[in-house]
Amino acid sequence: MSNGRFLVSGEKSAISQGQPSWWRCALLWIASGFAWVVSIPLLLFSLGGSMQPHLGWTCAVLTAIGMFAILVQVDQRLAAGAVFLVSFSSALAAQKAWPVFLAAAATWLTSLNGRQRVCSPNPELLDFQYSHYSAYHKRSELHGDFDSIQPHRSFFACHPHGVLSIGFISNVCWGRKFHEAVGRCFYLIDPTLRDKGLLAKLFLDAFEGEHGGFRNTRMNTVQELMQKGESMAMIPGAYQEATAFSFGRERVALSRRKGFVKYCLKYGYRLHPVYTFGESETYYTMGGFEQLRFWLNRKGIPTVAFWGLPWCPLLPRRNVEMLTFVGPALELPQIADPTQEEVDKWHAKYTEALVALFNKHKAEAGKPTAVLEIL
């Protein structure tokens, strides 16, 4: 460690190691996307399939959805027990092999959420991810005002979310250069994904180390980290930006997202805007029904139909330049109990800093006429 910054494992450059095979990069993204996106549908299919001989597919899947909506709210050890009892009692009564197999799959998936940690930290996997996430795209780089970064009490607000936060994954969370520049940092993501993400927990728990880890975005978690002076990175726009995603349009949901500014004021944090160009070109999406989709979004349900590569819609488009820029720190005063007026004032200053960062680098990113939409 040097000046509060950690030297990550495997410091050889991509040049000395050789550029990773694109297919190996694609397999990593497929595995990640499957863990992130397919875990819950897989659980619903397995649980519903275990009940299918008695209820039929339609009723069985609807029952599984209803159970999931309830059980995700309770202690996950109880949820795993309930899934075990329901799935195996139904499967064994059917006296068929495949419902038993699906019951076992449903129970195993649910049990992942019932465990505090599903695997140990894995530095070798982290080193593999450093080189392979970023090498997937035509170009994937981190730039910015690194001199203004200090190793503690720094908050990195990352934009935009996009569909699956590809830039956040490849250039920030699993970005070697970001880790070296920032040092110990915690990456805040949706509570359901972090704590109840099923297969995603394998990736998240393996990430843990001296460099930091993943945590949920709940208020008590944020305050606990800030009380310790830990640096953090998160995407304020979250699922609202995913719902509002439109190919080629630079959009951030920020107008009503002020909580992160309030806590940065309360604990005296430096606030860095971070913007990734290219995120808006990672996937194609289907529009329409915006009012309904935003209503569901407010309920915590992201609704976006997307596809990337034609032969594997889960994979982001390949021929994209993912360029992430870290802006200079916005020095906030420490105010123990900031008023709404003070929050609004500094939120406006942050918005100005984000727009300035965007305008400064858009030509360098190949988008000289781009306009940043603030939703």
Side-chain angles (χ1 to χ4, degrees), residues 201-241:
K201 291 187 68 176
L202 295 169
F203 284 87
L204 301 175
D205 288 348
F207 178 86
E208 297 288 314
E210 289 186 336
H211 55 272
F214 284 93
R215 298 293 183 269
N216 64 55
T217 54
R218 289 194 176 94
M219 179 170 48
N220 60 333
T221 302
V222 174
Q223 293 194 88
E224 180 181 344
L225 290 171
M226 284 189 163
Q227 287 168 0
K228 298 176 182 178
E230 301 283 9
S231 293
M232 288 174 282
M234 69 171 289
I235 305 177
Y239 290 155
Q240 184 181 352
E241 286 182 0

Side-chain angles (χ1 to χ4, degrees), residues 34-254:
F34 188 89
W36 255 257
V37 178
V38 184
S39 287
I40 292 177
L42 180 62
L43 171 60
L44 297 177
F45 171 79
S46 300
L47 181 56
S50 69
M51 299 182 286
Q52 188 273 339
H54 305 290
L55 302 178
W57 276 113
T58 301
C59 289
V61 171
L62 290 175
T63 301
I65 293 172
M67 287 182 62
F68 176 81
I70 296 172
L71 294 177
V72 76
Q73 307 296 330
V74 304
D75 188 308
Q76 292 304 287
R77 291 169 295 182
L78 296 177
V83 168
F84 171 79
L85 290 174
V86 171
S87 62
F88 271 100
S89 61
S90 177
L92 292 174
Q95 297 183 343
K96 295 180 180 180
W98 64 267
V100 174
F101 173 78
L102 292 177
T107 301
W108 179 75
L109 284 168
T110 311
S111 71
L112 293 177
N113 284 349
R115 299 172 60 184
Q116 185 174 3
R117 184 182 295 276
V118 299
C119 66
S120 301
N122 191 324
E124 291 77 17
L125 176 60
L126 177 62
D127 191 57
F128 180 83
Q129 292 167 312
Y130 277 144
S131 59
H132 285 70
Y133 276 130
S134 59
Y136 173 88
H137 290 99
K138 177 181 178 180
R139 185 180 172 200
S140 189
E141 299 173 358
L142 180 76
H143 303 276
D145 191 346
F146 301 132
D147 292 338
S148 71
I149 297 176
Q150 297 185 29
H152 303 289
R153 293 190 179 277
S154 294
F155 192 101
F156 300 89
C158 302
H159 311 270
H161 182 285
V163 175
L164 295 181
S165 307
I166 303 301
F168 187 62
I169 291 172
S170 61
N171 291 346
V172 178
C173 300
W174 279 280
R176 188 194 303 273
K177 191 172 182 179
F178 186 84
H179 286 198
E180 292 173 347
V182 172
R184 182 177 173 85
C185 183
F186 288 88
Y187 304 86
L188 308 182
I189 60 176
D190 177 75
T192 299
L193 181 60
R194 177 60 190 97
D195 302 328
K196 304 171 184 178
L198 303 173
L199 294 175
K201 291 187 68 176
L202 295 169
F203 284 87
L204 301 175
D205 288 348
F207 178 86
E208 297 288 314
E210 289 186 336
H211 55 272
F214 284 93
R215 298 293 183 269
N216 64 55
T217 54
R218 289 194 176 94
M219 179 170 48
N220 60 333
T221 302
V222 174
Q223 293 194 88
E224 180 181 344
L225 290 171
M226 284 189 163
Q227 287 168 0
K228 298 176 182 178
E230 301 283 9
S231 293
M232 288 174 282
M234 69 171 289
I235 305 177
Y239 290 155
Q240 184 181 352
E241 286 182 0
T243 303
F245 183 92
S246 179
F247 182 83
R249 299 181 68 173
E250 306 294 338
R251 287 177 162 181
V252 296
L254 189 59

